[in-house]
Amino acid sequence: LCAASLTPAVAQLVSENEARRRPEAVRGVKFAALRIFFLPALLCSTVPALFAGFITRRFIGNAEAAPAVIAILPCVFLGTVTAVYRGYYEGLRNMLPTAISQILESVVRVSFGVGFAYIAQLYAMKRFVNGQPVFGVICRSVDQMSDASLPYIAAAAVLGVTASEISSFLYMLIRSMFGDGLPKKIHLSKSTVQNEGRRLLRLLAPITTSAIVSSLAGTVDLYTIILCIKTSLFKYPELYAEKYSDIISSGVSLKELPNYLYGSFTGLASTVFGLAPSLCSVFGKSALPNISEAWAVKDLPRVRREIRRVMTVILYISIPAGLGLSALSHDILGLLFSSRAEEVSISYQPLAIMALGTAFATVSGAAYSMLQAVGKAQLPIYITIAGALKKLGLNMLLIPLPGLGLNGAAIASTVSGAVMCIWSTAALYVTTSTKPSPAFSIGAPLFGGALAATGAVWVKTSFAKFMSKPLLVIFSVCFAVISYIIFIILLDISTKNRVQNEILGK
């Protein structure tokens, strides 16, 4: 909740106060957020540790997960405080602290997670070889040793996440010692902190609700794909046995097939599909303080310029990325997951369908941030609910069809994404009286992206005999990227630098 809502809420209030030249209120937002959330976050990081066994046994159904739960609990406190500092600097239009802290998190998470797990494994093997109890359990075989040590090795890996949060937290604390661009000595009255705290809580309510709704909407696939595939499998067992004969011959039974298909869909197709929206979400976050600041002082021309700038950047990245990913879905998955050929064979068609909706996901995410900046934080809640209901209905309708299966889930995701994209963008443009330019912002990148994707497929087909498959995929992608860049340069020249002007917000 804090990661999804606290940072943008703090950023919005800070940028509004900065626009009104109220430095004491700017600092007041940070102190109010820390004062409100410090103790609850600390309690949420410590109290559940006392009941980790009960939680994992009764709610998760896996008592062996208790060490991992304990290992990750400090992240609740660390992530909450870090979210406050990130929102504070983002509100001051300084994205560098957030970027550096996220890079630190990624590097530390991987290196420490793998390192801790490896050390725990070596410790277990050493204890077993020396005939001593392994993590409190007397083991007489390698299998027993593995069963006894696995929960602790998993907890050691999870400690990598905690270590990454510690590194981000410490960086933010050290960064705060070097100032924030405001006067060092600012008198903070009690009334200012209380007032900003009340404003923060009022703003957090719709944002937090939207985050909860988005999280729940994300579970639609979890509760429908497996169920619908089981229903279809019960009706057409021969069809599934024939379609997935290679997977069944590898040891997956028909009973296990729905879970295997769902795991392949979420682990490969959904993961790769989420890369472009994750990249473009940065532009939406960076626009929030600029738009909220301009909106606070009623500078509507600047608000419209910023909206057009963000939308242009996102569309010119997401549309060609989606088309290219759709055209090369099988090859890209094969390159990234070369040792999982069966799962690639399941996932590439759904990925090709979902990739066509890449722009829908990226635009709606950015529109949500900008709607929040102009005081429409509740609207994304209704849009997300409508999209989730649309996805739920289409999943139930399409997945059981024998010719669709997972492709039906991909179609449902694309259609629901289109609904949320169109609704959120229209609401944003109407609220701010921004005039759309579909031919320039959609038509041009769509045409250029289609040319680049077609060129990538032609390169892949023409040079298949002369290159190894991994090298061929990389070469095809590079050809598509270079082709698209050349197209944008020519478009910019022919429109007298309109592309540059839109991206720079002129």
Side-chain angles (χ1 to χ4, degrees), residues 2-54:
C2 288
S5 56
L6 189 54
T7 296
V10 171
Q12 181 172 342
L13 290 183
V14 168
S15 60
E16 288 178 1
N17 288 323
E18 176 72 5
R20 295 188 174 104
R21 302 293 187 268
R22 298 175 58 201
E24 73 286 351
V26 171
R27 290 265 177 86
V29 174
K30 181 175 71 172
F31 281 99
L34 291 173
R35 191 173 71 172
I36 293 171
F37 289 97
F38 187 92
L39 183 58
L42 188 61
L43 291 175
C44 288
S45 277
T46 53
V47 174
L50 304 176
F51 306 97
F54 175 79

Side-chain angles (χ1 to χ4, degrees), residues 164-333:
S164 71
E165 292 292 337
I166 292 174
S167 67
S168 180
F169 170 76
L170 291 177
Y171 166 76
M172 283 297 184
L173 286 184
I174 295 172
R175 173 64 182 80
S176 65
M177 297 177 185
F178 291 91
D180 50 17
L182 300 178
K184 291 185 178 181
K185 293 183 179 180
I186 295 178
H187 174 68
L188 272 181
S189 64
K190 184 178 179 180
S191 60
T192 298
V193 176
Q194 290 178 341
N195 181 55
E196 295 304 320
R198 286 191 291 267
R199 292 183 65 205
L200 178 63
L201 291 176
R202 285 196 298 268
L203 183 59
L204 272 174
I207 299 175
T208 303
T209 305
S210 179
I212 295 173
V213 170
S214 297
S215 299
L216 293 176
T219 64
V220 168
D221 283 343
L222 173 63
Y223 291 108
T224 56
I225 290 181
I226 296 177
L227 175 62
C228 292
I229 290 178
K230 285 182 177 179
T231 302
S232 183
L233 179 61
F234 180 77
K235 291 182 179 179
Y236 312 102
E238 300 85 2
L239 178 64
Y240 277 82
E242 179 182 355
K243 185 175 182 179
Y244 300 108
S245 57
D246 293 340
I247 296 171
I248 294 173
S249 63
S250 67
V252 179
S253 65
L254 278 177
K255 183 179 179 180
E256 298 169 336
L257 188 60
N259 288 327
Y260 187 88
L261 295 178
Y262 173 75
S264 301
F265 177 78
T266 56
L268 274 66
S270 297
T271 299
V272 174
F273 167 73
L275 293 177
S278 298
L279 171 66
C280 292
S281 66
V282 176
F283 299 106
K285 289 178 64 177
S286 64
L288 189 148
N290 293 331
I291 293 177
S292 60
E293 180 180 305
W295 187 261
V297 296
K298 306 302 180 184
D299 188 353
L300 291 181
R302 183 184 167 196
V303 170
R304 297 177 191 125
R305 284 197 306 272
E306 189 65 20
I307 290 174
R308 287 196 300 268
R309 182 188 70 82
V310 173
M311 288 299 187
T312 300
V313 173
I314 287 176
L315 288 169
Y316 273 67
I317 294 175
S318 61
I319 290 178
L323 293 176
L325 182 58
S326 180
L328 300 175
S329 62
H330 191 279
D331 304 282
I332 291 174
L333 285 177

Side-chain angles (χ1 to χ4, degrees), residues 306-460:
E306 189 65 20
I307 290 174
R308 287 196 300 268
R309 182 188 70 82
V310 173
M311 288 299 187
T312 300
V313 173
I314 287 176
L315 288 169
Y316 273 67
I317 294 175
S318 61
I319 290 178
L323 293 176
L325 182 58
S326 180
L328 300 175
S329 62
H330 191 279
D331 304 282
I332 291 174
L333 285 177
L335 178 66
L336 297 176
F337 306 99
S338 57
S339 62
R340 301 162 70 177
E342 292 86 359
E343 295 170 75
V344 170
S345 67
I346 294 170
S347 306
Y348 81 92
Q349 287 184 344
L351 176 59
I353 296 170
M354 287 195 298
L356 296 175
T358 300
F360 298 145
T362 55
V363 169
S364 59
Y368 286 178
S369 294
M370 291 186 281
L371 282 170
Q372 174 192 333
V374 297
K376 297 289 183 178
Q378 290 184 336
L379 190 55
I381 301 173
Y382 309 127
I383 298 174
T384 304
I385 291 174
L389 292 176
K390 175 70 71 174
K391 187 176 185 179
L392 175 64
L394 289 175
N395 273 359
M396 301 296 289
L397 176 66
L398 299 177
I399 295 175
L401 298 179
L404 289 178
L406 290 177
N407 289 341
I411 293 171
S413 295
T414 303
V415 173
S416 64
V419 170
M420 292 187 287
C421 173
I422 295 171
W423 188 354
S424 58
T425 305
L428 177 66
Y429 278 45
V430 169
T431 301
T432 59
S433 302
T434 303
K435 293 183 179 179
S437 54
F440 178 77
S441 59
I442 299 175
L446 186 62
F447 180 74
L451 286 178
T454 303
V457 173
W458 174 81
V459 167
K460 184 191 73 170

